[in-house]
């Protein structure tokens, strides 16, 4: 049973209200969200009392459960958890409480039905930060990784630059008129824009059928009917609830996974412990080469080189580490 959608104080549904569920009707409950913690940026739903829907469905589950006001607890989908968790709403900048300190660690993780994103940031000396970002599938297949170091004061501008890049997302229509059709959805499961929702409400109330609206909005009739139900404009589409599905066949394991990486480097992506850094400093000073340290510490040469620069080690391996971006 997953919490797959919720309705805020203004009556707007969020999450995955169009998700196909295996129950005849979804369960409903009330969730009272805590107010914003002093000193933190407010989440969009902090302090609100929201109505949630929960059922057995195929939407990917997060690792977080929420206790409803009646005492029952249910795990939320990743989409719902991202919306309810204030941590996912904050820009990737160093928290004010740790700026100016010599060492601190920030860890963030988020995801979608097809991707998981994790960020590990170590605040270094002299106001610099070392960041590692990993993109992988829910089963651990790595699709991308990024490691680098920069001045912590540049994080705000870099994050704005990434968000504003035209490759990240297409610009939405800016017209506020609802009489003209908005840009059609071009892929399955594309998010509903405010313009599309306004168009759906207006033209359904004007007498257009779900079949007509599906053609005009570039969506399936099933999607239209679930959205109308979520907006409380149409009855529950009982005929659209599918029969229970047989267990899915396991996918063929892919080679480039976290586990595969650790077969080559047993400590890949694990945090460095203080005693590891002390031993690394000593071995570097003794003249161990970068390949030897990589083998000894169970990490790839890039990870060892980055750590040598961070701890300001001295020795031949530290000199070679400069080739990795120091």
């Amino acid at each position: 049973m997953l919490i797959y959608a919720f309705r805020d104080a203004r009556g707007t549904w969020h999450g995955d209200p169009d998700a196909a569920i295996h129950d005849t009707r979804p369960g409903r409950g009330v969730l009272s969200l805590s107010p914003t913690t002093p000193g933190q940026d407010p989440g969009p739903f902090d302090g609100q009392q929201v109505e949630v829907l929960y059922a057995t469905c195929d939407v990917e589950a997060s690792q977080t459960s929420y206790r409803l006001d009646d005492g029952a607890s249910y795990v939320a989908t990743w989409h719902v958890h991202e919306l309810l968790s204030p941590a996912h709403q904050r820009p990737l900048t160093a928290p004010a409480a740790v700026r100016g300190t010599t060492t601190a660690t920030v860890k963030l993780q988020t995801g979608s039905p097809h991707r998981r994103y994790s960020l590990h940031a170590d605040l270094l000396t002299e106001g610099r930060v070392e960041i590692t970002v990993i993109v992988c599938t829910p089963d651990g297949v790595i699709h991308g990784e990024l490691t680098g170091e920069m001045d912590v004061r540049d994080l705000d501008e870099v994050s704005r630059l990434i968000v504003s890049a035209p490759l990240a997302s297409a610009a939405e229509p800016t017209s506020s008129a609802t009489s003209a059709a908005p840009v059609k959805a071009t892929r399955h499961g594309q998010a509903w824009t405010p313009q599309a929702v306004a168009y759906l409400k207006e033209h359904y109330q004007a007498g257009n059928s779900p079949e007509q609206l599906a053609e005009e909005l570039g969506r399936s009739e099933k999607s239209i009917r679930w959205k109308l139900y979520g907006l409380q404009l149409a009855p529950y589409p009982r005929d659209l609830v599918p029969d229970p599905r047989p267990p899915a066949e396991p996918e063929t394991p892919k080679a480039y996974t976290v586990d595969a990486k650790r077969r080559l480097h047993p400590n890949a992506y694990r945090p460095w412990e203080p005693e590891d850094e002390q031993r690394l400093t000593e071995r570097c000073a003794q003249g161990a080469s970068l390949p030897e340290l990589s083998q000894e510490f169970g990490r790839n040469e890039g990870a060892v080189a980055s750590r040598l620069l961070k701890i300001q080690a001295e020795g031949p391996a530290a000199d070679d580490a400069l080739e990795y971006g120091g």
Side-chain angles (χ1 to χ4, degrees), residues 131-300:
I131 299 176
T132 299
V133 177
I134 299 176
V135 182
C136 63
T137 63
D139 58 353
V141 178
I142 298 173
H143 282 268
E145 53 184 303
L146 178 67
T147 301
E149 183 181 316
M150 68 176 67
D151 193 301
V152 70
R153 293 170 296 182
D154 296 327
L155 282 176
D156 284 331
E157 292 303 323
V158 170
S159 63
R160 291 192 188 99
L161 180 64
I162 293 173
V163 171
S164 63
L167 296 179
S169 60
E172 294 184 351
T174 57
S175 174
S176 59
T178 59
S179 58
V183 176
K184 288 185 177 182
T186 56
R187 66 181 186 273
H188 176 69
Q190 183 170 330
W192 283 84
T193 64
Q195 293 87 349
V197 172
Y199 184 92
L200 176 67
K201 289 181 179 179
E202 178 182 345
H203 290 266
Y204 179 73
Q205 292 171 338
N208 287 24
S209 68
E211 183 179 3
Q212 291 173 313
L213 291 167
E215 174 66 25
E216 293 165 5
L217 293 171
R219 298 177 181 271
S220 66
E221 184 179 348
K222 175 182 176 181
S223 174
I224 295 294
R225 291 180 61 193
W226 277 112
K227 191 63 177 179
L228 289 170
Y229 168 70
L231 296 171
Q232 297 186 328
L233 296 175
Y236 181 74
R238 191 181 305 277
D239 58 303
L240 297 182
V241 178
D243 295 329
R245 301 180 185 177
E249 296 258 343
E251 292 186 3
T252 303
K254 296 178 179 150
Y256 190 29
T257 65
V258 173
D259 289 339
K261 279 263 193 174
R262 286 180 176 165
R263 283 196 287 271
L264 294 174
H265 305 290
N267 293 319
Y269 305 120
R270 300 187 193 279
W272 288 83
E273 300 296 338
E275 53 269 25
D276 295 333
E277 294 184 341
Q278 178 63 33
R279 186 161 59 90
L280 180 64
T281 301
E282 295 172 355
R283 293 289 293 123
C284 182
Q286 292 168 2
S289 67
L290 202 53
E292 289 173 340
L293 293 175
S294 172
Q295 180 69 26
E296 182 175 338
F297 286 85
R299 302 173 186 268
N300 66 36

Side-chain angles (χ1 to χ4, degrees), residues 91-95 98 104-108 119-123 129-130 132:
L92 298 180
T93 57
V98 300
T105 298
V106 177
K107 296 181 181 179
L108 295 175
L119 179 147
H120 185 106
D122 284 328
L123 291 177
V129 60
E130 180 186 63
T132 299

Side-chain angles (χ1 to χ4, degrees), residues 290-291 301-306 308-309 316-326:
L290 202 53
E301 291 185 16
V304 174
S306 177
L308 287 170
L309 295 175
D319 295 336
D320 293 341
L322 294 172
E323 298 178 9
Y324 285 83

